[in-house]
Amino acid sequence: MSIEWKITRNQKPMPAADREAVLEAPVFGAVRTDHQVVCVWEQGKGWTSAEVIPYGPILMDPAAAVLHYGQEIFEGIKGYRHADGSIWTFRPFENAKRLQRSAKRMALPEVPVEMFVESLVKLMEVDGDWVPAPVNEKTLYFRPFEIAAEDFLGVRPAHRAEYRVIASPVGPYFTGGIKPVKIWIALDSARAGRHGTGEAKTGGNYAASLQAQTEGYEQGCSQVMFLDAETATYIEELGGMNLFFVFKDGHVATPSLDGTILHGITRDSVIQLIKDRGIEVQERKITLDEMRDGINSGEIVEAFACGTAAVITPVGQFLSKNETIGSADAEPGQLTVSLREELTGIQYGTVEDRHNWLYKLA
Ligand SMILES: *Cc1c(COP(=O)(O)O)cnc(C)c1O
């Protein structure tokens, strides 16, 4: 049985002129829209309500499980305005399925796929005006998330959970245009261990990444690259993005998904777009040594990171406490730039959507 949605409009939405000012130059995550989605799950009953309500704080008991044991998962997905005014999103069924896999790992109830997709549609019924015009890579970033909301201090999966969606207009993730970024190599901290939660999109993985990120910021790096937790030999991914390397002979390689790496939907899409061009993509183990030697010898000619928030971002340099790899004034790679244009073109509806990745929200 599908659930009945209830919509309660915000009686004090942001005035249109103020909203338009925000949409002129949105700062990632800084301002949220006028509404939010909230769906409730209870043990023994299942999903009992699905609502769109005015944006506002969550009233929560201090004993709520999420605040103590970290049962939290999330997604990141964008809304794109097309030239005709319509609003689309990108591969939402993949995000819905990933949220379910994250839920399983973190012992939270699974949000039904239809409910996930419908939650974006319903939010767009009331907050559609918040999707910026398709210029300067502006989009509306959706943040669906699920939390353990039972007030009980015992350690077990919570008997009450909430699925929520908030949304924030965003511009380019990295200010400063598509300039190659510097990456800090974390040598003293890992984000995910074997049989751990690395494949789940969960807040705890991000909490585990922040110490290294702070170190990285101090060294002028905008992201952190993590190595495998056991041997610190193999490249895994960044705190919130997957990595790719382009080789001189044309082929591309990316670390294989061995249980500790997040299954990025951008990663999957990029692999498809590269294959569509007849270029070989290897999903395999890549060591830090191979990367260093490859960049130093010119065998590796481009490196880029990808994820929903930052799309595709060229990487110029890798730094650690021991070394500097690559050059500070590297230019964005050719394949990097052209994949980026193709992917954003598909998302904004200006390049043919060969794989039916787009889904109309409004
Ligand atoms: C979200 C995320 C990514 C990117 O996934 P997309 O589906 O492409 O947005 C990569 N790594 C981590 C750790 C993430 O949390």
Side-chain angles (χ1 to χ4, degrees):
M1 195 196 78
S2 79
I3 212 158
E4 199 64 36
W5 281 83
K6 187 176 157 203
I7 295 184
T8 308
R9 281 192 177 259
N10 191 336
Q11 295 307 309
K12 287 185 187 158
M14 185 182 282
D18 295 353
R19 184 186 63 233
E20 289 309 318
V22 171
L23 296 186
E24 266 308 300
V27 175
F28 192 93
V31 177
R32 277 79 52 197
T33 65
D34 295 312
H35 298 84
Q36 63 182 318
V37 167
V38 53
C39 304
V40 174
W41 177 92
E42 290 171 77
Q43 171 94 345
K45 295 185 186 163
W47 293 98
T48 55
S49 65
E51 292 187 59
V52 177
I53 61 173
Y55 188 92
I58 299 178
L59 183 63
M60 187 177 270
D61 193 286
V66 63
L67 301 176
H68 303 273
Y69 308 124
Q71 253 189 305
E72 188 269 355
I73 56 175
F74 66 93
E75 275 303 323
I77 181 169
K78 283 173 169 174
Y80 307 87
R81 188 170 305 280
H82 283 192
D84 66 358
S86 56
I87 300 167
W88 299 72
T89 193
F90 186 73
R91 306 188 74 182
F93 297 97
E94 297 306 313
N95 292 83
K97 286 186 275 185
R98 185 170 67 190
L99 188 68
Q100 291 190 331
R101 294 196 301 274
S102 298
K104 214 170 243 166
R105 181 64 185 85
M106 303 307 288
L108 282 163
E110 290 175 34
V111 173
V113 169
E114 324 76 73
M115 185 189 239
F116 178 92
V117 176
E118 196 65 6
S119 70
L120 305 180
V121 172
K122 293 294 173 193
L123 193 56
M124 284 302 88
E125 275 180 35
V126 291
D127 279 341
D129 288 344
W130 280 91
V131 182
V135 290
N136 298 332
E137 287 184 21
K138 288 192 276 190
T139 58
L140 184 66
Y141 183 79
F142 296 108
R143 169 51 57 83
F145 63 105
E146 196 181 339
I147 53 176
E150 185 188 9
D151 49 321
F152 175 63
L153 290 177
V155 181
R156 57 153 171 72
H159 290 174
R160 184 176 191 282
E162 290 179 4
Y163 165 69
R164 291 181 180 251
V165 186
I166 57 175
S168 168
V170 299
Y173 190 73
F174 295 118
T175 47
I178 89 153
K179 212 166 62 200
V181 297
K182 279 200 229 176
I183 303 281
W184 182 246
I185 308 171
L187 296 179
D188 303 318
S189 77
R191 73 172 275 286
R194 193 163 119 85
H195 296 161
T197 57
E199 285 189 352
K201 211 168 170 72
T202 181
N205 291 342
Y206 279 71
S209 77
L210 294 179
Q211 189 185 19
Q213 186 177 308
T214 303
E215 269 172 28
Y217 282 162
E218 285 165 9
Q219 307 299 326
C221 297
S222 55
Q223 287 279 320
V224 176
M225 179 172 88
F226 290 95
L227 305 173
D228 75 287
E230 268 168 77
T231 68
T233 306
Y234 301 104
I235 292 171
E236 296 211 318
E237 61 169 322
L238 307 187
M241 281 188 269
N242 298 111
L243 271 172
F244 283 77
F245 299 98
V246 183
F247 289 73
K248 193 171 64 184
D249 71 3
H251 84 274
V252 178
T254 186
S256 40
L257 303 174
D258 292 335
T260 51
I261 296 179
L262 204 281
H263 292 218
I265 294 160
T266 317
R267 176 187 181 279
D268 186 73
S269 309
V270 163
I271 289 175
Q272 184 64 55
L273 294 180
I274 297 173
K275 287 182 176 166
D276 288 353
R277 296 175 181 212
I279 298 173
E280 182 195 357
V281 188
Q282 300 174 352
E283 295 181 68
R284 62 172 172 87
K285 286 191 179 301
I286 301 168
T287 63
L288 176 59
D289 288 342
E290 179 188 356
M291 185 194 89
R292 176 193 309 110
D293 295 348
I295 292 175
N296 288 341
S297 70
E299 201 58 37
I300 293 177
V301 290
E302 301 181 30
F304 65 85
C306 70
T308 298
V311 200
I312 293 174
T313 302
V315 178
Q317 233 179 3
F318 295 86
L319 275 68
S320 76
K321 59 182 183 184
N322 300 332
E323 61 183 333
T324 298
I325 306 169
S327 138
D329 40 38
E331 293 291 318
Q334 239 177 13
L335 185 65
T336 305
V337 170
S338 121
L339 286 169
R340 191 173 207 283
E341 278 169 8
E342 184 177 9
L343 183 57
T344 51
I346 293 170
Q347 291 167 333
Y348 284 115
T350 58
V351 168
E352 190 200 345
D353 178 22
R354 296 188 302 274
H355 298 286
N356 281 316
W357 284 337
L358 293 185
Y359 183 89
K360 192 171 187 181
L361 294 176

PDB file of all heavy atoms in Angstrom, residues 59-86:
ATOM      1  N   LEU A  59      12.516  18.872  16.671  1.00  0.00           N
ATOM      2  CA  LEU A  59      12.330  18.768  18.118  1.00  0.00           C
ATOM      3  C   LEU A  59      12.658  17.329  18.498  1.00  0.00           C
ATOM      4  O   LEU A  59      12.016  16.393  18.031  1.00  0.00           O
ATOM      5  CB  LEU A  59      10.884  19.104  18.490  1.00  0.00           C
ATOM      6  CG  LEU A  59      10.575  19.095  19.987  1.00  0.00           C
ATOM      7  CD1 LEU A  59      11.379  20.177  20.717  1.00  0.00           C
ATOM      8  CD2 LEU A  59       9.083  19.296  20.229  1.00  0.00           C
ATOM      9  N   MET A  60      13.691  17.164  19.303  1.00  0.00           N
ATOM     10  CA  MET A  60      14.182  15.815  19.535  1.00  0.00           C
ATOM     11  C   MET A  60      14.526  15.597  20.990  1.00  0.00           C
ATOM     12  O   MET A  60      15.056  16.486  21.656  1.00  0.00           O
ATOM     13  CB  MET A  60      15.435  15.635  18.670  1.00  0.00           C
ATOM     14  CG  MET A  60      15.969  14.245  18.655  1.00  0.00           C
ATOM     15  SD  MET A  60      17.362  14.169  17.554  1.00  0.00           S
ATOM     16  CE  MET A  60      16.527  13.753  16.048  1.00  0.00           C
ATOM     17  N   ASP A  61      14.197  14.421  21.494  1.00  0.00           N
ATOM     18  CA  ASP A  61      14.540  14.088  22.865  1.00  0.00           C
ATOM     19  C   ASP A  61      16.064  13.955  22.971  1.00  0.00           C
ATOM     20  O   ASP A  61      16.697  13.378  22.090  1.00  0.00           O
ATOM     21  CB  ASP A  61      13.868  12.764  23.230  1.00  0.00           C
ATOM     22  CG  ASP A  61      13.916  12.507  24.725  1.00  0.00           C
ATOM     23  OD1 ASP A  61      15.018  12.160  25.227  1.00  0.00           O
ATOM     24  OD2 ASP A  61      12.875  12.649  25.380  1.00  0.00           O
ATOM     25  N   PRO A  62      16.664  14.464  24.055  1.00  0.00           N
ATOM     26  CA  PRO A  62      18.126  14.331  24.191  1.00  0.00           C
ATOM     27  C   PRO A  62      18.591  12.881  24.230  1.00  0.00           C
ATOM     28  O   PRO A  62      19.781  12.615  24.001  1.00  0.00           O
ATOM     29  CB  PRO A  62      18.427  15.036  25.525  1.00  0.00           C
ATOM     30  CG  PRO A  62      17.265  15.922  25.770  1.00  0.00           C
ATOM     31  CD  PRO A  62      16.075  15.278  25.132  1.00  0.00           C
ATOM     32  N   ALA A  63      17.691  11.945  24.487  1.00  0.00           N
ATOM     33  CA  ALA A  63      18.077  10.526  24.495  1.00  0.00           C
ATOM     34  C   ALA A  63      17.935   9.881  23.114  1.00  0.00           C
ATOM     35  O   ALA A  63      18.156   8.678  22.971  1.00  0.00           O
ATOM     36  CB  ALA A  63      17.242   9.766  25.522  1.00  0.00           C
ATOM     37  N   ALA A  64      17.552  10.665  22.103  1.00  0.00           N
ATOM     38  CA  ALA A  64      17.373  10.081  20.757  1.00  0.00           C
ATOM     39  C   ALA A  64      18.641   9.332  20.331  1.00  0.00           C
ATOM     40  O   ALA A  64      19.762   9.842  20.463  1.00  0.00           O
ATOM     41  CB  ALA A  64      17.036  11.178  19.758  1.00  0.00           C
ATOM     42  N   ALA A  65      18.438   8.125  19.823  1.00  0.00           N
ATOM     43  CA  ALA A  65      19.559   7.218  19.553  1.00  0.00           C
ATOM     44  C   ALA A  65      20.622   7.818  18.625  1.00  0.00           C
ATOM     45  O   ALA A  65      21.817   7.596  18.815  1.00  0.00           O
ATOM     46  CB  ALA A  65      19.023   5.912  18.975  1.00  0.00           C
ATOM     47  N   VAL A  66      20.192   8.595  17.632  1.00  0.00           N
ATOM     48  CA  VAL A  66      21.155   9.136  16.671  1.00  0.00           C
ATOM     49  C   VAL A  66      22.215   9.997  17.356  1.00  0.00           C
ATOM     50  O   VAL A  66      23.365  10.050  16.920  1.00  0.00           O
ATOM     51  CB  VAL A  66      20.449   9.947  15.553  1.00  0.00           C
ATOM     52  CG1 VAL A  66      19.730  11.170  16.115  1.00  0.00           C
ATOM     53  CG2 VAL A  66      21.441  10.361  14.478  1.00  0.00           C
ATOM     54  N   LEU A  67      21.830  10.643  18.457  1.00  0.00           N
ATOM     55  CA  LEU A  67      22.757  11.553  19.135  1.00  0.00           C
ATOM     56  C   LEU A  67      23.821  10.801  19.923  1.00  0.00           C
ATOM     57  O   LEU A  67      24.836  11.371  20.309  1.00  0.00           O
ATOM     58  CB  LEU A  67      21.978  12.487  20.074  1.00  0.00           C
ATOM     59  CG  LEU A  67      20.919  13.353  19.404  1.00  0.00           C
ATOM     60  CD1 LEU A  67      20.153  14.163  20.435  1.00  0.00           C
ATOM     61  CD2 LEU A  67      21.558  14.280  18.377  1.00  0.00           C
ATOM     62  N   HIS A  68      23.591   9.515  20.155  1.00  0.00           N
ATOM     63  CA  HIS A  68      24.518   8.755  21.000  1.00  0.00           C
ATOM     64  C   HIS A  68      25.287   7.694  20.229  1.00  0.00           C
ATOM     65  O   HIS A  68      26.481   7.525  20.401  1.00  0.00           O
ATOM     66  CB  HIS A  68      23.745   8.124  22.157  1.00  0.00           C
ATOM     67  CG  HIS A  68      23.030   9.163  22.955  1.00  0.00           C
ATOM     68  ND1 HIS A  68      23.624   9.842  23.994  1.00  0.00           N
ATOM     69  CD2 HIS A  68      21.800   9.717  22.788  1.00  0.00           C
ATOM     70  CE1 HIS A  68      22.772  10.742  24.466  1.00  0.00           C
ATOM     71  NE2 HIS A  68      21.661  10.691  23.742  1.00  0.00           N
ATOM     72  N   TYR A  69      24.577   6.978  19.355  1.00  0.00           N
ATOM     73  CA  TYR A  69      25.222   5.842  18.699  1.00  0.00           C
ATOM     74  C   TYR A  69      25.369   6.040  17.188  1.00  0.00           C
ATOM     75  O   TYR A  69      25.766   5.111  16.486  1.00  0.00           O
ATOM     76  CB  TYR A  69      24.465   4.554  19.043  1.00  0.00           C
ATOM     77  CG  TYR A  69      24.277   4.414  20.548  1.00  0.00           C
ATOM     78  CD1 TYR A  69      23.023   4.258  21.103  1.00  0.00           C
ATOM     79  CD2 TYR A  69      25.390   4.510  21.402  1.00  0.00           C
ATOM     80  CE1 TYR A  69      22.859   4.174  22.492  1.00  0.00           C
ATOM     81  CE2 TYR A  69      25.225   4.434  22.783  1.00  0.00           C
ATOM     82  CZ  TYR A  69      23.969   4.273  23.327  1.00  0.00           C
ATOM     83  OH  TYR A  69      23.822   4.205  24.679  1.00  0.00           O
ATOM     84  N   GLY A  70      25.016   7.209  16.722  1.00  0.00           N
ATOM     85  CA  GLY A  70      25.362   7.572  15.349  1.00  0.00           C
ATOM     86  C   GLY A  70      24.642   6.819  14.246  1.00  0.00           C
ATOM     87  O   GLY A  70      25.169   6.710  13.139  1.00  0.00           O
ATOM     88  N   GLN A  71      23.443   6.331  14.529  1.00  0.00           N
ATOM     89  CA  GLN A  71      22.689   5.667  13.447  1.00  0.00           C
ATOM     90  C   GLN A  71      22.140   6.752  12.529  1.00  0.00           C
ATOM     91  O   GLN A  71      21.072   7.322  12.776  1.00  0.00           O
ATOM     92  CB  GLN A  71      21.526   4.883  14.047  1.00  0.00           C
ATOM     93  CG  GLN A  71      21.678   3.372  14.063  1.00  0.00           C
ATOM     94  CD  GLN A  71      20.362   2.749  14.490  1.00  0.00           C
ATOM     95  OE1 GLN A  71      19.834   3.077  15.547  1.00  0.00           O
ATOM     96  NE2 GLN A  71      19.845   1.861  13.661  1.00  0.00           N
ATOM     97  N   GLU A  72      22.892   7.052  11.486  1.00  0.00           N
ATOM     98  CA  GLU A  72      22.518   8.121  10.554  1.00  0.00           C
ATOM     99  C   GLU A  72      23.058   7.780   9.183  1.00  0.00           C
ATOM    100  O   GLU A  72      24.193   7.301   9.058  1.00  0.00           O
ATOM    101  CB  GLU A  72      23.116   9.454  11.002  1.00  0.00           C
ATOM    102  CG  GLU A  72      22.639  10.672  10.229  1.00  0.00           C
ATOM    103  CD  GLU A  72      23.484  11.056   9.001  1.00  0.00           C
ATOM    104  OE1 GLU A  72      24.542  10.422   8.760  1.00  0.00           O
ATOM    105  OE2 GLU A  72      23.098  11.967   8.284  1.00  0.00           O
ATOM    106  N   ILE A  73      22.269   7.990   8.162  1.00  0.00           N
ATOM    107  CA  ILE A  73      22.720   7.787   6.781  1.00  0.00           C
ATOM    108  C   ILE A  73      22.182   8.934   5.937  1.00  0.00           C
ATOM    109  O   ILE A  73      21.220   9.589   6.321  1.00  0.00           O
ATOM    110  CB  ILE A  73      22.232   6.430   6.209  1.00  0.00           C
ATOM    111  CG1 ILE A  73      20.708   6.314   6.300  1.00  0.00           C
ATOM    112  CG2 ILE A  73      22.914   5.263   6.945  1.00  0.00           C
ATOM    113  CD1 ILE A  73      20.143   5.062   5.650  1.00  0.00           C
ATOM    114  N   PHE A  74      22.815   9.160   4.793  1.00  0.00           N
ATOM    115  CA  PHE A  74      22.322  10.259   3.969  1.00  0.00           C
ATOM    116  C   PHE A  74      22.591  10.034   2.488  1.00  0.00           C
ATOM    117  O   PHE A  74      23.261   9.078   2.092  1.00  0.00           O
ATOM    118  CB  PHE A  74      22.892  11.597   4.436  1.00  0.00           C
ATOM    119  CG  PHE A  74      24.384  11.762   4.262  1.00  0.00           C
ATOM    120  CD1 PHE A  74      24.907  12.357   3.115  1.00  0.00           C
ATOM    121  CD2 PHE A  74      25.267  11.356   5.238  1.00  0.00           C
ATOM    122  CE1 PHE A  74      26.269  12.537   2.956  1.00  0.00           C
ATOM    123  CE2 PHE A  74      26.650  11.519   5.080  1.00  0.00           C
ATOM    124  CZ  PHE A  74      27.147  12.113   3.941  1.00  0.00           C
ATOM    125  N   GLU A  75      22.048  10.913   1.698  1.00  0.00           N
ATOM    126  CA  GLU A  75      22.266  10.918   0.254  1.00  0.00           C
ATOM    127  C   GLU A  75      22.563  12.341  -0.182  1.00  0.00           C
ATOM    128  O   GLU A  75      22.329  13.301   0.570  1.00  0.00           O
ATOM    129  CB  GLU A  75      21.026  10.407  -0.495  1.00  0.00           C
ATOM    130  CG  GLU A  75      20.973   8.889  -0.619  1.00  0.00           C
ATOM    131  CD  GLU A  75      22.212   8.339  -1.319  1.00  0.00           C
ATOM    132  OE1 GLU A  75      22.704   8.997  -2.244  1.00  0.00           O
ATOM    133  OE2 GLU A  75      22.703   7.269  -0.924  1.00  0.00           O
ATOM    134  N   GLY A  76      23.078  12.475  -1.392  1.00  0.00           N
ATOM    135  CA  GLY A  76      23.266  13.788  -2.002  1.00  0.00           C
ATOM    136  C   GLY A  76      22.847  13.647  -3.449  1.00  0.00           C
ATOM    137  O   GLY A  76      23.334  12.762  -4.156  1.00  0.00           O
ATOM    138  N   ILE A  77      21.918  14.477  -3.884  1.00  0.00           N
ATOM    139  CA  ILE A  77      21.393  14.379  -5.254  1.00  0.00           C
ATOM    140  C   ILE A  77      20.918  15.780  -5.640  1.00  0.00           C
ATOM    141  O   ILE A  77      20.524  16.549  -4.766  1.00  0.00           O
ATOM    142  CB  ILE A  77      20.269  13.304  -5.319  1.00  0.00           C
ATOM    143  CG1 ILE A  77      19.695  13.147  -6.722  1.00  0.00           C
ATOM    144  CG2 ILE A  77      19.161  13.574  -4.292  1.00  0.00           C
ATOM    145  CD1 ILE A  77      18.778  11.915  -6.868  1.00  0.00           C
ATOM    146  N   LYS A  78      20.998  16.101  -6.930  1.00  0.00           N
ATOM    147  CA  LYS A  78      20.708  17.476  -7.320  1.00  0.00           C
ATOM    148  C   LYS A  78      19.464  17.607  -8.197  1.00  0.00           C
ATOM    149  O   LYS A  78      19.107  16.671  -8.911  1.00  0.00           O
ATOM    150  CB  LYS A  78      21.897  18.047  -8.103  1.00  0.00           C
ATOM    151  CG  LYS A  78      23.081  18.441  -7.222  1.00  0.00           C
ATOM    152  CD  LYS A  78      24.267  18.836  -8.084  1.00  0.00           C
ATOM    153  CE  LYS A  78      25.361  19.497  -7.232  1.00  0.00           C
ATOM    154  NZ  LYS A  78      26.571  19.738  -8.066  1.00  0.00           N
ATOM    155  N   GLY A  79      18.857  18.788  -8.143  1.00  0.00           N
ATOM    156  CA  GLY A  79      17.789  19.159  -9.066  1.00  0.00           C
ATOM    157  C   GLY A  79      18.354  20.147 -10.069  1.00  0.00           C
ATOM    158  O   GLY A  79      19.049  21.100  -9.683  1.00  0.00           O
ATOM    159  N   TYR A  80      18.090  19.898 -11.353  1.00  0.00           N
ATOM    160  CA  TYR A  80      18.625  20.744 -12.430  1.00  0.00           C
ATOM    161  C   TYR A  80      17.472  21.415 -13.155  1.00  0.00           C
ATOM    162  O   TYR A  80      16.526  20.739 -13.558  1.00  0.00           O
ATOM    163  CB  TYR A  80      19.408  19.890 -13.448  1.00  0.00           C
ATOM    164  CG  TYR A  80      20.471  19.034 -12.803  1.00  0.00           C
ATOM    165  CD1 TYR A  80      20.171  17.767 -12.304  1.00  0.00           C
ATOM    166  CD2 TYR A  80      21.777  19.506 -12.671  1.00  0.00           C
ATOM    167  CE1 TYR A  80      21.140  16.986 -11.700  1.00  0.00           C
ATOM    168  CE2 TYR A  80      22.757  18.724 -12.066  1.00  0.00           C
ATOM    169  CZ  TYR A  80      22.433  17.468 -11.587  1.00  0.00           C
ATOM    170  OH  TYR A  80      23.384  16.695 -10.978  1.00  0.00           O
ATOM    171  N   ARG A  81      17.575  22.718 -13.371  1.00  0.00           N
ATOM    172  CA  ARG A  81      16.571  23.385 -14.191  1.00  0.00           C
ATOM    173  C   ARG A  81      17.011  23.323 -15.650  1.00  0.00           C
ATOM    174  O   ARG A  81      18.172  23.564 -15.958  1.00  0.00           O
ATOM    175  CB  ARG A  81      16.356  24.839 -13.757  1.00  0.00           C
ATOM    176  CG  ARG A  81      15.172  25.431 -14.495  1.00  0.00           C
ATOM    177  CD  ARG A  81      14.713  26.780 -13.993  1.00  0.00           C
ATOM    178  NE  ARG A  81      14.375  26.898 -12.587  1.00  0.00           N
ATOM    179  CZ  ARG A  81      13.221  26.524 -12.036  1.00  0.00           C
ATOM    180  NH1 ARG A  81      12.286  25.928 -12.761  1.00  0.00           N
ATOM    181  NH2 ARG A  81      13.006  26.719 -10.744  1.00  0.00           N
ATOM    182  N   HIS A  82      16.072  22.948 -16.510  1.00  0.00           N
ATOM    183  CA  HIS A  82      16.379  22.932 -17.939  1.00  0.00           C
ATOM    184  C   HIS A  82      15.906  24.253 -18.564  1.00  0.00           C
ATOM    185  O   HIS A  82      15.185  25.026 -17.922  1.00  0.00           O
ATOM    186  CB  HIS A  82      15.702  21.730 -18.607  1.00  0.00           C
ATOM    187  CG  HIS A  82      16.428  20.435 -18.323  1.00  0.00           C
ATOM    188  ND1 HIS A  82      16.164  19.260 -18.996  1.00  0.00           N
ATOM    189  CD2 HIS A  82      17.421  20.150 -17.434  1.00  0.00           C
ATOM    190  CE1 HIS A  82      16.967  18.308 -18.528  1.00  0.00           C
ATOM    191  NE2 HIS A  82      17.720  18.806 -17.579  1.00  0.00           N
ATOM    192  N   ALA A  83      16.327  24.453 -19.796  1.00  0.00           N
ATOM    193  CA  ALA A  83      16.051  25.728 -20.466  1.00  0.00           C
ATOM    194  C   ALA A  83      14.550  26.015 -20.557  1.00  0.00           C
ATOM    195  O   ALA A  83      14.127  27.174 -20.518  1.00  0.00           O
ATOM    196  CB  ALA A  83      16.676  25.727 -21.858  1.00  0.00           C
ATOM    197  N   ASP A  84      13.711  24.962 -20.640  1.00  0.00           N
ATOM    198  CA  ASP A  84      12.262  25.172 -20.748  1.00  0.00           C
ATOM    199  C   ASP A  84      11.589  25.375 -19.386  1.00  0.00           C
ATOM    200  O   ASP A  84      10.369  25.428 -19.297  1.00  0.00           O
ATOM    201  CB  ASP A  84      11.610  23.996 -21.484  1.00  0.00           C
ATOM    202  CG  ASP A  84      11.700  22.694 -20.695  1.00  0.00           C
ATOM    203  OD1 ASP A  84      12.299  22.700 -19.580  1.00  0.00           O
ATOM    204  OD2 ASP A  84      11.165  21.674 -21.168  1.00  0.00           O
ATOM    205  N   GLY A  85      12.396  25.449 -18.333  1.00  0.00           N
ATOM    206  CA  GLY A  85      11.844  25.703 -16.996  1.00  0.00           C
ATOM    207  C   GLY A  85      11.576  24.441 -16.187  1.00  0.00           C
ATOM    208  O   GLY A  85      11.372  24.518 -14.973  1.00  0.00           O
ATOM    209  N   SER A  86      11.561  23.286 -16.837  1.00  0.00           N
ATOM    210  CA  SER A  86      11.272  22.042 -16.119  1.00  0.00           C
ATOM    211  C   SER A  86      12.425  21.696 -15.170  1.00  0.00           C
ATOM    212  O   SER A  86      13.539  22.194 -15.316  1.00  0.00           O
ATOM    213  CB  SER A  86      11.035  20.900 -17.115  1.00  0.00           C
ATOM    214  OG  SER A  86      12.149  20.772 -17.980  1.00  0.00           O
TER     215      SER A  86
END
